Amino acid sequence: MSIPTEPIGSLPRPRTLIQALTDHAQGRINDADLASVQDTAVADTLDRLAQLGCPVLVDGDQRKPNSLTYPVTGLKSLTPDGVTIPFADGHTRQLPMLTGGPFRYQVRADSYLRAARARTQLPVKQAVVAPSLLSLLYPAGGIDGYSREAFLGDLVDEAEAEIRGCLDAGAHRVQLDFTEGRLSLKLDPSGGVLNDFVALNNKVLDRFSKDERARLGVHADPGADQGSSHSLDVDYAELLPRLFRLQVGTFSLPLACEPDRGRALKIAADQLPSGARVFVGVTDPADPRVETPEEVRDRVLEAAQHLPMEQLGTCDDTGFATFADDTSTSRDTAFAKIEARVRGTELAAQALGL
């Protein structure tokens, strides 16, 4: 395909997997039983994406309890009363809070990637949580005997190890999920928190070579959970100048949900670093309606009026189920939207004579 197209990451879990997660949490099934159901869900995800003609696959985060805190699954030094993320419809999600150090990932995403790549010959992309999100686990009051500086040093080391593990495992691309970037501007319009987040992430990214960073990307979304967002009203004019300081090769930007896509695209074109590629969102997972391929085509053609073709790609606006228990979008609807993205991108390429 002459215009690259990629999924973001998460997909709705099958009902059998959602039930297995509940049964496992309540002690009715063991780890091996849960892993077996997860294996089946991953295989189905990869097969269905391949059948739709997707040039790049993901495992749909079928093994992640959520896309934000999966690395600390099983970590003992946590309490549940951490930072709260408010969504526009009134519901919230709450992060855990760290109670002691040293900080170590319990799970790394390269384990998911290796399992997925064993099931397909097609390229597989791997999403990882940005270290800036995990920095929110450290309590404002500090931890006796474990300073914030020591925590951030451990966090940078752990994030580097996860990303490097994914590159070594053959990831087509490693994508940093950076939902807290846009949210930070809602909570701190001055941009100070966002600047700190970008600086922290760049401490990790700077440890990679130029060629390695070309295989790294970032996804900055307004949140997607239960059909709602946490920061859709944040202006791209405030976000993009800071976002584009991240030392990565690709940026995935939600645009299908934007009320004024032309303005957002112009801002992106004006700010985009030389050599970087923008994957523009052309389907909206929060919209229950399935876009037509022709609608997607027109969105791609609109983007092509602003962005050079060598810097343009397409994606979905966000993942379809950041949290495993999110059933607001059905699995079949998610795959139908992905098919529309793939077909619509092909139609746009044909219309552009590529």
Side-chain angles (χ1 to χ4, degrees):
M1 180 176 290
S2 53
I3 302 176
T5 189
E6 296 180 358
I8 290 298
S10 66
L11 284 161
R13 282 66 165 178
R15 292 188 181 275
T16 51
L17 176 52
I18 294 174
Q19 184 61 52
L21 289 166
T22 299
D23 291 343
H24 182 263
Q26 297 177 358
R28 291 194 292 265
I29 64 174
N30 59 29
D31 292 350
D33 292 332
L34 175 60
S36 177
V37 179
Q38 290 171 324
D39 287 345
T40 300
V42 169
D44 179 68
T45 298
L46 296 171
D47 288 346
R48 291 183 70 169
L49 290 174
Q51 289 165 11
L52 294 178
C54 295
V56 176
L57 310 185
V58 291
D59 74 352
D61 287 354
Q62 304 296 285
R63 290 186 171 87
K64 290 181 181 178
N66 64 71
S67 302
L68 306 183
T69 61
Y70 67 88
V72 298
T73 302
L75 184 64
K76 303 301 183 185
S77 54
L78 293 174
T79 60
D81 51 345
V83 173
T84 298
I85 301 174
F87 286 81
D89 65 356
H91 88 276
T92 62
R93 294 284 187 174
Q94 191 165 23
L95 302 178
M97 184 171 65
L98 193 68
T99 61
F103 178 74
R104 297 289 184 269
Y105 282 19
Q106 306 299 292
V107 181
R108 289 179 178 162
D110 59 289
S111 64
Y112 308 137
L113 176 64
R114 293 177 194 279
R117 292 199 69 232
R119 293 183 173 273
T120 181
Q121 297 300 309
L122 292 172
V124 180
K125 173 183 176 180
Q126 182 59 56
V128 303
V129 63
S132 50
L133 185 284
L134 295 178
S135 73
L136 297 174
L137 304 187
Y138 192 85
I143 298 173
D144 288 343
Y146 189 51
S147 68
R148 180 172 180 81
E149 291 71 20
F151 162 72
L152 292 177
D154 288 341
L155 173 58
V156 168
D157 289 343
E158 292 296 295
E160 178 196 2
E162 179 178 51
I163 295 170
R164 197 168 297 283
C166 291
L167 291 176
D168 291 345
H172 168 74
R173 191 179 322 285
V174 183
Q175 170 192 286
L176 276 69
D177 288 335
F178 189 43
T179 189
E180 67 280 9
R182 195 158 174 169
L183 177 61
S184 72
L185 282 173
K186 184 159 187 150
L187 303 177
D188 172 27
S190 75
V193 172
L194 179 55
N195 288 338
D196 290 344
F197 282 167
V198 169
L200 175 61
N201 292 335
N202 272 337
K203 283 185 179 180
V204 177
L205 296 168
D206 286 344
R207 296 186 175 189
F208 294 88
S209 69
K210 181 179 179 181
D211 288 345
E212 289 170 332
R213 290 198 298 270
R215 294 170 58 196
L216 305 182
V218 65
H219 173 233
D221 70 280
D225 184 44
Q226 300 179 17
S228 185
S229 65
H230 55 54
S231 53
L232 185 58
D233 53 344
V234 168
D235 194 334
Y236 266 134
E238 299 299 321
L239 174 67
L240 292 184
R242 296 177 175 93
L243 180 73
F244 285 155
R245 295 175 193 163
L246 289 168
Q247 300 298 308
V248 294
T250 63
F251 297 88
S252 298
L253 303 181
L255 284 172
C257 62
E258 280 293 310
D260 189 346
R261 283 191 299 273
R263 176 177 178 272
L265 284 163
K266 184 178 186 306
I267 293 169
D270 290 344
Q271 299 287 336
L272 184 63
S274 175
R277 185 184 295 273
V278 170
F279 283 83
V280 298
V282 291
T283 60
D284 182 3
D287 184 349
R289 183 183 62 85
V290 176
E291 295 85 351
T292 66
E294 291 75 20
E295 188 174 2
V296 170
R297 174 201 62 199
D298 292 345
R299 290 175 178 176
V300 181
L301 294 177
E302 180 184 21
Q305 294 175 8
H306 297 272
L307 296 164
M309 290 309 306
E310 66 272 14
Q311 292 181 277
L312 175 63
T314 67
C315 61
D316 309 298
D317 267 8
T318 67
F320 288 89
T322 299
F323 297 86
D325 62 359
D326 182 4
T327 58
S328 58
T329 301
S330 74
R331 194 164 166 85
D332 285 344
T333 295
F335 282 111
K337 283 176 171 283
I338 289 170
E339 182 175 20
R341 169 173 52 80
V342 173
R343 302 292 172 242
T345 303
E346 291 174 345
L347 290 176
Q350 291 169 11
L352 292 166
L354 300 176

